[in-house]
Amino acid sequence: MDRTSIGAKSLFPKGPSFTLENFSNKDFIVRDFVDSLAESAVPINRRSGPAQPAFDAKPLIRTFENALSQLAILGDELQEKESELLSQVRRAEVQHDQTLDTLGRKLDQSMSSFEALDGTVASTKTNNYETQTKPDGEGNVAVQIGEKLEDLDRKRRRAQDAQFLIQCWSEVSDSGLLASLEDIRRQGGAENKIRCAVIARQLMRISQQLDPASWGHANGHRVSSVSNGNGNGSGNGNGPKTHNTREILEKFCESLEQDLLQQFNNSYRKQNFDDMMECAKVLYDFNGGASVIATFVNQHQFFIDRDQLMNDEVISDKDIWEPIADPDATPPGVEASLQSLIDEVKIVMQEESFIIKRAFPYYETVLTKFIQRVFQQSIQQRLEKVLDKADTISSLAFLRSLHASRSYISSLIEDLKTHGLTEHPEPCSGQIAQTLDQQVDELFVPYLVGNLYIEREKKSIEEMYSSLLFKFTMYHSRKKKAPTGFMASLAQQGTQLMASAKDAYLERLESSDLTPTQKATMLRVAGIAEKDNKNEIELSEDDGTLSVANAKRMLKWLAESVQRTLELGTAVEAPKEMNVFMNLLLSNMGQVYVQTALDAAHVQATILENSKTEPDMSYMPAIRPAVTISAIMDRFISTVLIRLAESNTTVRKSMEAQKKMAIDNIEKKTNAVMKISIDVVVNFVAKTLSGQKKQDFRPKDVELESLQTPTCLAICNFLGRAEKHASAAVDGQNAEKFFSELATELHRLLFDHFKKFQVNATGGLMVTQDIAKYVSVVRDWPLAKDISLAFELLTEIGSLFIVGSEALREKSRGLAPGQMGSRGKLSKADFQAFVQRRDDASSVGIRSMLAGL
């Protein structure tokens, strides 16, 4: 180890030295600084070694004492520099004020010189003709001088404004007053108030920069002061007293804002749109224009007048509200007070939009606020009163009022869009159009949200349907007898629906939430009086029969509901809502009404199927209205409900399947009633034919009173009555099929009947007359052509009993081959069977003819 190098170092090293630059560095950290001092205080030969000696504090004490002495010296230097800088700032401010005064005097001198020069040039042009011959050169000089003067004037105004701004800041920061600004404000006038507002706004920005303490932050700068030895931390014990400039300026701005709002209102009354525009611009800088917009909207005469009228109750006139609760009456328009309000809104909006466009630079924002206030306060309050009143009348009155109100308000929106408002005569802007649409949606959302509206429609329709069908369901519930066989399964569901509809109606009538008007309407539609005992009402046969007029009433009510739903609802929900309406129609009109009547007809026909007396076919006319009602219901569902549900393929297919199933069930029941009706007629005819006496066609001449037998007369009379009932039940192709099948069965019965009786010569005439009577009755029926030809064949049977053997031989040549007849010809077997019933069948001529067949 080099001993000489060690000897050159002191045992106690000299403490570190530093300057102000060490502390002005941005990376300076106090902790690191102290650590470096402590590190330098420990000698190098004691910093490491195998043995650690006891702690010695003396080197640290000497180091920190040296550092403190240097810091005291630096503090004195810093204080001297700060005092010097403050003196320089004061000298600079004084020099700046002197410079402004000098510039002001020079500008005044320049203006005076320019005025003098301008006067000299003007006099020279007037007195000297030579000057007029040289306008270009002097004109250019004048223009240049004017431009320089204008530039100087702008600089002067900026300098004056800056001087005044500095003066105002000095006042507010030193004395806490705004005397100069208050002087301008007291001068009055719109321009002075606007100037005050601009300066106050500039002072607020200066306050943020120069007085951050008033704003609760240091404005991003580090605020520090060097201790002067007394530990109070203040840089200058004799510094000026400070004021909260922010609070002072905010109070002034609030007061000034009120003055500007009052000035705006005064200008509005005087229709001074330019002054209104200036006030609105300044107030926009204060708070985004919220105060002036609120003042303009809230103090509008429309809202003041309407607020006084909003407490008026909706007129409770029976002539107005009774028709709206009547389902058969034409839906009235919007309620009178709401209509008056909307008409007034239309006029006010068009007039005020003109003012708003001229009075506000941000007119769309103001118009939006005005629209929101009109709809959310005036229209909404009146709409709620109208709908609350309608709800106390009936559910139908509520729905009709809701629809009429929505339609009328929507027409208002379209008129305002077309007018253009602030864009008149052009259509209104997209933002305003969106605002108008949004206000309408918000008005009616509480009534249309979710399934609330469709449930109201459903409840209203169910009440009207149950009222209309009450007597019908009551009649059939009393007459109901359980069907048997095939019809039992088809009738079971209809029976349950009929019972539930009747019970629901009675339960609804006794409900406590049913309004008097709605109860009276339900009783009127049902055709009963309130004093009647609902379970002991006298019913007639007409109450149990189908009525096409009632079916049309049901469809009319449903069509009105469909229209309301389409106009009030959305296109997305429309298919589901149409499905709800279809289910209502199928269950009430299809099952409770039509199928119940068909079940009753089938039960009656079943009772008469084996009747020993002449059956009463009066149940058959119920088939005609059932078919008609089913047809119009099918057409309504297909052309209206299903077509409106086409946008949703799944719902549409489901509706088509449900409709097909319902119509198929009605057709099955209709066919079953018609089929059993044929059995009723055929069974009675067969029973009557079986009572024919064996000697009816072998009369003696003295006994002959009529050429027709009583059995024939009885059957023909019965068939005539049955034909009237059947014709009232079916027509067209349905009638042709029914009567053709009935004629086929009658043809079979008569064909077999005349093979059973022995006939003499006179009896042959009676057979002929009976057959002619049967044929004449059936001939008037709408039959298929082949059935008509077959029935005409019966006349040939009558002639077989009255012609001679030679004529029979001639007829035998035209017989059909085989055992069955065809195309209006008898077969040989039938020919032989009829001829053998003649009393003279054993004669030689007839026997030889039969032998030759």
Side-chain angles (χ1 to χ4, degrees):
M1 180 179 292
D2 190 357
R3 306 283 299 179
T4 59
S5 62
I6 297 175
K9 295 183 179 179
S10 172
L11 181 62
F12 300 101
K14 186 180 180 181
S17 60
F18 37 81
T19 62
L20 287 175
E21 283 74 11
N22 296 104
F23 300 98
S24 61
N25 190 356
K26 293 182 179 180
D27 297 331
F28 175 77
I29 300 175
V30 175
R31 183 172 181 177
D32 294 344
F33 173 72
V34 174
D35 290 343
S36 64
L37 289 177
E39 183 72 17
S40 63
V42 180
I44 296 176
N45 56 355
R46 296 184 184 182
R47 294 180 189 176
S48 61
Q52 295 292 334
F55 174 74
D56 186 7
K58 293 181 179 180
L60 291 174
I61 293 173
R62 285 192 292 270
T63 301
F64 284 123
E65 287 178 347
N66 181 37
L68 285 174
S69 62
Q70 293 188 54
L71 286 174
I73 296 172
L74 291 177
D76 295 337
E77 292 179 1
L78 185 61
Q79 184 66 35
E80 292 176 0
K81 288 185 178 181
E82 184 178 0
S83 300
E84 183 179 354
L85 289 174
L86 289 174
S87 300
Q88 292 177 0
V89 168
R90 285 193 288 272
R91 288 195 297 272
E93 289 178 350
V94 172
Q95 185 178 359
H96 176 70
D97 293 340
Q98 293 175 353
T99 303
L100 290 178
D101 292 339
T102 303
L103 290 175
R105 288 193 299 272
K106 289 183 178 180
L107 182 59
D108 292 338
Q109 293 174 1
S110 300
M111 293 293 293
S112 301
S113 301
F114 174 76
E115 291 174 358
L117 178 61
D118 186 53
T120 303
V121 171
S123 61
T124 304
K125 288 183 179 181
T126 304
N127 298 328
N128 298 324
Y129 176 77
E130 292 80 2
T131 304
Q132 296 179 359
T133 60
K134 302 178 182 179
D136 294 339
E138 294 179 358
N140 291 335
V141 172
V143 170
Q144 292 175 0
I145 294 173
E147 291 175 352
K148 290 181 179 180
L149 290 176
E150 288 177 358
D151 184 51
L152 289 173
D153 184 53
R154 284 194 298 270
K155 292 180 179 179
R156 174 178 175 274
R157 285 198 298 271
R158 283 199 299 269
Q160 289 177 339
D161 292 341
Q163 180 183 4
F164 186 75
L165 189 62
I166 294 172
Q167 179 182 346
C168 292
W169 172 248
S170 298
E171 290 177 354
V172 70
S173 61
D174 295 341
S175 62
L177 300 175
L178 288 169
S180 301
L181 211 54
E182 290 288 355
D183 292 340
I184 298 177
R185 180 180 173 183
R186 281 192 290 270
Q187 292 176 8
E191 294 182 358
N192 290 328
K193 291 180 181 179
I194 293 172
R195 185 186 177 195
C196 285
V198 173
I199 294 173
R201 204 166 57 248
Q202 292 173 342
L203 289 173
M204 291 288 282
R205 288 197 288 268
I206 293 174
S207 175
Q208 288 180 333
Q209 296 293 327
L210 300 183
D211 187 16
S214 299
W215 296 80
H217 59 82
N219 201 28
H221 298 285
R222 179 169 179 168
V223 180
S224 62
S225 59
V226 180
S227 175
N228 58 1
N230 58 9
N232 60 9
S234 61
N236 188 0
N238 300 323
K241 181 180 179 181
T242 59
H243 300 274
N244 192 327
T245 57
R246 176 186 179 181
E247 182 178 348
I248 297 170
L249 290 171
E250 284 180 348
K251 289 181 179 179
F252 178 81
C253 288
E254 290 175 3
S255 175
L256 182 61
E257 182 179 7
Q258 295 301 319
D259 288 348
L260 288 171
L261 290 174
Q262 184 61 41
Q263 178 183 335
F264 182 88
N265 287 333
N266 296 336
S267 300
Y268 176 61
R269 295 186 182 91
K270 298 176 183 178
Q271 298 292 291
N272 186 348
F273 299 117
D274 293 336
D275 190 32
M276 292 173 67
M277 178 72 76
E278 291 298 325
C279 291
K281 287 179 181 179
V282 176
L283 289 169
Y284 181 79
D285 291 333
F286 271 107
N287 53 13
S291 59
V292 68
I293 294 174
T295 300
F296 176 80
V297 173
N298 297 336
Q299 297 183 7
H300 197 281
Q301 193 64 35
F302 170 78
F303 299 110
I304 297 174
D305 295 340
R306 276 292 166 182
D307 285 343
Q308 298 173 356
L309 297 176
M310 279 302 165
N311 294 326
D312 296 345
E313 296 296 330
V314 180
I315 300 175
S316 301
D317 191 350
K318 289 185 177 180
D319 296 336
I320 296 175
W321 290 105
E322 284 187 358
I324 201 173
D326 184 0
D328 295 313
T330 302
V334 67
E335 195 269 337
S337 62
L338 180 60
Q339 180 180 4
S340 173
L341 171 62
I342 295 173
D343 292 341
E344 186 177 354
V345 165
K346 179 179 177 181
I347 297 173
V348 170
M349 292 285 289
Q350 292 175 356
E351 292 177 349
E352 290 304 312
S353 60
F354 171 76
I355 297 175
I356 291 172
K357 178 68 177 291
R358 297 187 61 184
F360 292 92
Y362 38 92
Y363 55 86
E364 282 198 348
T365 303
V366 181
L367 182 58
T368 299
K369 296 292 184 182
F370 190 76
I371 292 172
Q372 291 172 348
R373 176 69 185 275
V374 167
F375 278 87
Q376 295 175 6
Q377 179 173 328
S378 301
I379 295 180
Q380 183 175 352
Q381 290 181 5
R382 176 51 55 175
L383 177 64
E384 289 175 353
K385 285 183 176 290
V386 171
L387 294 181
D388 289 344
K389 176 63 179 177
D391 204 17
T392 63
I393 301 299
S394 71
S395 56
L396 179 61
F398 176 85
L399 293 170
R400 283 180 165 179
S401 298
L402 181 66
H403 173 250
S405 302
R406 173 66 180 264
S407 300
Y408 205 77
I409 293 175
S410 297
S411 65
L412 166 68
I413 297 302
E414 294 304 320
D415 291 342
L416 294 178
K417 289 180 181 178
T418 304
H419 177 270
L421 299 178
T422 53
E423 307 300 325
H424 182 74
E426 297 296 326
C428 66
S429 64
Q431 178 183 347
I432 299 301
Q434 183 180 0
T435 301
L436 291 170
D437 293 336
Q438 182 182 357
Q439 295 307 309
V440 176
D441 293 339
E442 291 178 355
L443 276 179
F444 293 95
V445 160
Y447 311 104
L448 305 176
V449 63
N451 295 325
L452 182 61
Y453 174 76
I454 193 63
E455 289 299 325
R456 280 182 175 270
E457 285 284 4
K458 182 180 177 181
K459 180 181 177 182
S460 175
I461 294 173
E462 287 176 341
E463 288 176 352
M464 292 186 291
Y465 281 0
S466 61
S467 301
L468 183 63
L469 302 180
F470 174 68
K471 280 191 174 182
F472 179 85
T473 54
M474 180 68 74
Y475 176 90
H476 285 283
S477 64
R478 293 178 183 178
K479 299 289 185 180
K480 195 72 175 177
K481 293 184 179 180
T484 58
F486 166 74
M487 293 298 294
S489 60
L490 294 179
Q492 183 178 5
Q493 187 177 8
T495 304
Q496 295 173 352
L497 284 172
M498 182 179 65
S500 63
K502 182 190 70 172
D503 295 341
Y505 176 77
L506 294 174
E507 182 180 350
R508 182 59 178 159
L509 279 181
E510 301 302 327
S511 175
S512 59
D513 63 344
L514 190 67
T515 65
T517 305
Q518 189 165 355
K519 185 175 183 179
T521 301
M522 292 178 67
L523 292 173
R524 182 185 60 78
V525 172
I528 58 179
E530 185 174 1
K531 62 183 179 180
D532 294 339
N533 188 334
K534 307 304 182 296
N535 291 316
E536 298 179 3
I537 297 174
E538 293 184 4
L539 301 173
S540 64
E541 292 294 328
D542 292 338
D543 294 327
T545 58
L546 294 177
S547 170
V548 177
N550 282 346
K552 289 182 178 179
R553 288 175 72 188
M554 295 171 73
L555 289 177
K556 178 185 175 184
W557 298 341
L558 187 66
E560 183 183 330
S561 294
V562 170
Q563 180 186 1
R564 282 196 298 266
T565 303
L566 289 176
E567 294 182 10
L568 294 176
T570 60
V572 177
E573 296 296 326
K576 297 179 182 178
E577 293 164 344
M578 296 305 108
N579 189 33
V580 171
F581 288 135
M582 187 193 72
N583 288 329
L584 281 174
L585 192 61
L586 291 178
S587 62
N588 288 275
M589 183 182 290
Q591 293 182 338
V592 175
Y593 200 42
V594 175
Q595 293 192 34
T596 298
L598 293 175
D599 292 340
H602 189 274
V603 170
Q604 187 67 20
T606 304
I607 296 172
L608 299 173
E609 188 174 5
N610 297 308
S611 176
K612 295 181 180 180
T613 59
E614 180 179 325
D616 182 8
M617 309 292 290
S618 59
Y619 67 86
M620 289 195 69
I623 304 298
R624 173 70 66 86
V627 173
T628 303
I629 293 171
S630 300
I632 61 177
M633 179 180 70
D634 183 13
R635 185 171 182 81
F636 181 84
I637 292 174
S638 299
T639 58
V640 178
L641 300 181
I642 292 180
R643 183 166 295 180
L644 291 174
E646 286 182 345
S647 59
N648 191 322
T649 305
T650 303
V651 175
R652 176 180 57 80
K653 290 183 178 179
S654 174
M655 293 175 66
E656 290 174 345
Q658 293 178 65
K659 185 208 72 170
K660 183 178 183 302
M661 182 182 299
I663 299 300
D664 287 347
N665 287 337
I666 293 175
E667 290 179 352
K668 287 178 182 178
K669 291 189 176 185
T670 304
N671 292 336
V673 174
M674 298 306 294
K675 184 178 183 302
I676 200 171
S677 298
I678 293 175
D679 294 340
V680 170
V681 174
V682 171
N683 290 344
F684 183 74
V685 170
K687 179 182 177 298
T688 305
L689 288 174
S690 66
Q692 183 116 42
K693 297 178 181 179
K694 290 188 177 293
Q695 299 300 321
D696 277 352
F697 299 113
R698 299 182 69 186
K700 297 179 181 180
D701 293 340
V702 294
E703 298 175 354
L704 188 61
E705 296 180 359
S706 174
L707 292 178
Q708 288 181 332
T709 61
T711 301
C712 176
L713 291 175
I715 291 175
C716 288
N717 290 333
F718 168 69
L719 290 177
R721 288 188 287 272
E723 185 272 337
K724 290 181 180 179
H725 290 305
S727 297
V730 290
D731 59 356
Q733 292 184 353
N734 292 330
E736 181 180 321
K737 291 180 180 179
F738 174 80
F739 284 108
S740 295
E741 187 172 347
L742 179 58
T744 301
E745 292 297 320
L746 292 176
H747 179 274
R748 178 184 60 80
L749 289 175
L750 294 173
F751 204 76
D752 294 337
H753 177 70
F754 288 109
K755 293 180 182 180
K756 300 176 182 178
F757 294 89
Q758 201 71 25
V759 182
N760 62 16
T762 304
L765 292 175
M766 296 182 70
V767 170
T768 303
Q769 289 299 316
D770 280 1
I771 291 177
K773 184 66 174 176
Y774 290 134
V775 172
S776 66
V777 170
V778 175
R779 185 179 291 136
D780 294 333
W781 296 356
L783 302 176
K785 189 174 182 181
D786 56 338
I787 303 299
S788 180
L789 291 175
F791 217 90
E792 293 290 339
L793 179 61
L794 291 177
T795 58
E796 292 293 328
I797 296 175
S799 66
L800 297 180
F801 293 100
I802 59 176
V803 299
S805 58
E806 292 300 324
L808 285 176
R809 193 180 299 277
E810 263 320 300
K811 287 181 178 293
S812 66
R813 294 190 181 97
L815 297 176
Q819 299 297 316
M820 300 296 293
S822 62
R823 296 186 180 182
K825 295 181 179 181
L826 286 172
S827 65
K828 291 181 180 181
D830 292 333
F831 179 82
Q832 185 175 3
F834 285 118
V835 172
Q836 286 178 346
R837 304 312 296 175
R838 290 172 58 135
D839 281 352
D840 59 350
S842 59
S843 63
V844 176
I846 293 178
R847 287 172 62 187
S848 62
M849 183 273 299
L850 291 175
L853 289 177

